């Protein structure tokens, strides 16, 4: 995937690098960009919603004859609810109104439906399913520490470090420790052991150059649990969207991290 | 954009349920009766052990392909405009996603380069390829509405 530089290709054979050859003042820190992935799909808005409706209707009017006798038992409740839905669909017409097919007296259809005004009966299965709202109480309260806020967006974990800055969880890399293990350890130290996370791969997705150290970020997905900030390292935490990260972190930090974050 | 003054709103579920074929008018119903007779006749002409299976096969494989109804010039123009608008919005959305992907990749490449300069040992560790990488089972595909228990806080094991 990556073209290895000549330096590293040589290193494979020569193995002449040691810790003492590190560039002075380039101390490395390992951080985690921990994200809670979206739980609900993005809403379809504006033109896309209307276009979907138009094409669905187009498919409807050009569709093959529905073999009703094959699907429904005559006089069954399923057939009745289908006929009710058909009546609603029959009223739709998105072409020139003058080209709409004329509706003659539909005596047979009315007889079939018993002229009932009530809504079509739901099947037993439909009655037991209760659809949950996309907006949660956390949304209403604006609880930025909650993982149940903004279900259609990606949320990122930011913590308040010792100096009061909002950053991604990060810390030092110990001797002989790979980057991804250091990142996991630092996340645990900062946010407690009650996070079940999947860190992606062994390498960084981004980096931030501070004055005396460089932080390399490993991408992680939180699968379960919640952050509980450990006081000396992290005094507070938030789960925020990409725009909210921009408003929290310093301008310099934002410049480094903005390309790592998803806009969805 | 107006659609002949009609404002029927259909829930997403109803739309999904009704996206399959169906009939709209009495004229269509008359056509249904005629076509049903034709189906049975064709099925019978093919002959078989079970005429119902033959009827199903006829419906699935031997029906005429669908086509757009006859549109006047204004309807056709509207239709083509909608198609063009849709392709433009899709392309714009696709370009945005592509640009974001490329920015993410560029950030990753830049990070690897910086790591190589800063700490070669860590760079070597990062470049190691792990085999048989799989996604964790708990990673959930987004749905239209959330589950009843939205998030697992790992409070069970206390």
């Amino acid at each position: 995937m990556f073209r290895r530089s000549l330096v590293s290709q040589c290193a494979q054979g020569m193995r002449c690098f040691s810790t003492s050859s590190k560039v002075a003042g380039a101390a490395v820190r390992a951080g985690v960009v921990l994200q809670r992935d979206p739980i609900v799909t993005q809403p379809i808005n504006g033109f896309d919603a209307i276009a979907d409706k138009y094409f669905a209707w187009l498919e409807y009017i050009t569709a093959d004859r529905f073999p009703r006798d094959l699907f429904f038992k005559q006089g069954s409740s399923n057939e009745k609810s289908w006929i009710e839905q058909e009546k609603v669909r029959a009223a739709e017409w998105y072409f020139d109104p003058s080209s709409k097919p004329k509706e003659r007296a539909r005596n047979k259809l009315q007889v079939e439906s018993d002229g009932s005004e009530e809504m079509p009966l739901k099947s037993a299965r439909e009655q037991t399913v209760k659809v949950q709202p996309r907006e949660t109480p956390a949304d209403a309260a604006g609880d930025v520490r909650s993982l149940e806020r903004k279900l259609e967006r990606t949320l990122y974990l930011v913590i308040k470090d010792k100096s009061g800055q909002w950053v991604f969880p990060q810390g030092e890399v110990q001797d002989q420790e790979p980057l991804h293990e250091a990142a996991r350890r630092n996340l645990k130290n900062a946010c407690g052991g009650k996070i079940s996370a999947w860190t992606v791969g062994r390498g960084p997705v981004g980096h931030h150059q501070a004055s005396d150290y460089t932080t390399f970020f490993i991408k992680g997905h939180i699968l379960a649990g919640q952050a509980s900030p450990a006081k000396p390292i992290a005094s507070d935490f938030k789960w925020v969207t990409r725009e909210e990260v921009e408003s929290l972190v310093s301008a310099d930090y934002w410049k480094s991290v903005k390309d790592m974050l998803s806009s969805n | 954009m107006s659609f002949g003054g009609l404002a029927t709103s259909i829930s997403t579920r109803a739309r999904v349920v009704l996206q399959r074929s169906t009939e709209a008018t009495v004229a269509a119903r008359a056509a249904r009766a005629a076509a049903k007779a034709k189906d049975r006749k064709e099925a019978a002409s093919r002959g078989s052990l079970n005429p119902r299976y033959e009827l199903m096969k006829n419906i699935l494989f031997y029906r005429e392909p669908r086509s757009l109804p006859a549109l006047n010039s204004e309807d056709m123009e509207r239709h083509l405009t909608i198609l063009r608008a849709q392709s433009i919005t899709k392309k714009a959305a696709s370009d945005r996603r592509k640009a974001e992907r490329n920015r993410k990749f560029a950030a990753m490449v830049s990070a690897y380069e910086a790591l190589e300069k800063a700490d070669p040992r860590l760079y070597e560790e990062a470049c190691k390829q792990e085999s048989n990488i799989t996604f964790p089972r708990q990673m959930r595909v987004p749905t239209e509405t959330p589950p009843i228990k939205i998030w697992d806080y790992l409070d069970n094991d206390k």
Side-chain angles (χ1 to χ4, degrees), chain A residues 48-170:
Chain A
D48 289 322
I50 295 167
D52 281 353
K53 208 164 155 180
Y54 173 72
F55 287 112
W57 172 77
L58 214 57
E59 180 141 338
Y60 168 78
I61 61 161
T62 57
D64 283 342
R65 173 177 70 77
F66 178 67
R68 168 212 223 156
D69 309 315
L70 208 60
F71 278 92
F72 297 125
K73 189 177 172 185
Q74 208 167 17
S76 65
S77 61
N78 276 351
E79 194 187 32
K80 284 194 185 108
S81 61
W82 178 79
I83 289 164
E84 288 300 318
Q85 286 167 346
E86 282 303 289
K87 282 184 187 168
V88 174
R89 294 307 289 263
E92 275 188 314
W93 192 256
Y94 292 150
F95 290 147
D96 200 296
S98 58
S99 64
K100 183 175 179 178
K102 298 281 180 287
E103 257 184 68
R104 288 196 292 273
R106 295 194 287 153
N107 298 322
K108 205 168 180 188
L109 257 164
Q110 279 167 2
V111 162
E112 278 167 332
S113 72
D114 288 334
S116 61
E117 292 296 327
E118 57 202 60
M119 288 294 289
L121 292 168
K122 287 185 182 177
S123 68
R125 191 178 191 177
E126 271 188 298
Q127 283 163 358
T128 55
V129 170
K130 200 180 166 200
V131 165
Q132 302 298 309
R134 290 163 64 98
E135 300 268 312
T136 57
D139 275 306
D143 181 9
V144 284
R145 290 188 192 85
S146 173
L147 279 158
E148 299 182 14
R149 188 178 72 103
K150 293 205 187 273
L151 298 179
E152 76 278 3
R153 302 292 307 277
T154 305
L155 297 181
Y156 295 97
L157 177 67
V158 285
I159 56 164
K160 201 170 189 181
D161 66 3
K162 276 178 256 186
S163 59
Q165 298 264 353
W166 287 99
V167 290
F168 294 121
Q170 45 119 57

Side-chain angles (χ1 to χ4, degrees), chain A residues 182-200:
Chain A
R184 283 197 77 102
R185 185 180 49 76
N186 289 320
L187 175 68
K188 195 167 179 181
N189 291 343
C191 299
K194 261 232 171 122
I195 290 181
S196 166
W198 178 56
T199 48
V200 187

Side-chain angles (χ1 to χ4, degrees), chain A residues 2 204-207, chain B residues 103-115:
Chain A
F2 287 102
V205 288
H207 71 295
Chain B
R103 280 195 297 271
K104 283 183 177 173
F105 191 75
M108 189 156 61
V109 167
S110 162
Y112 267 84
E113 285 169 358
L115 186 63

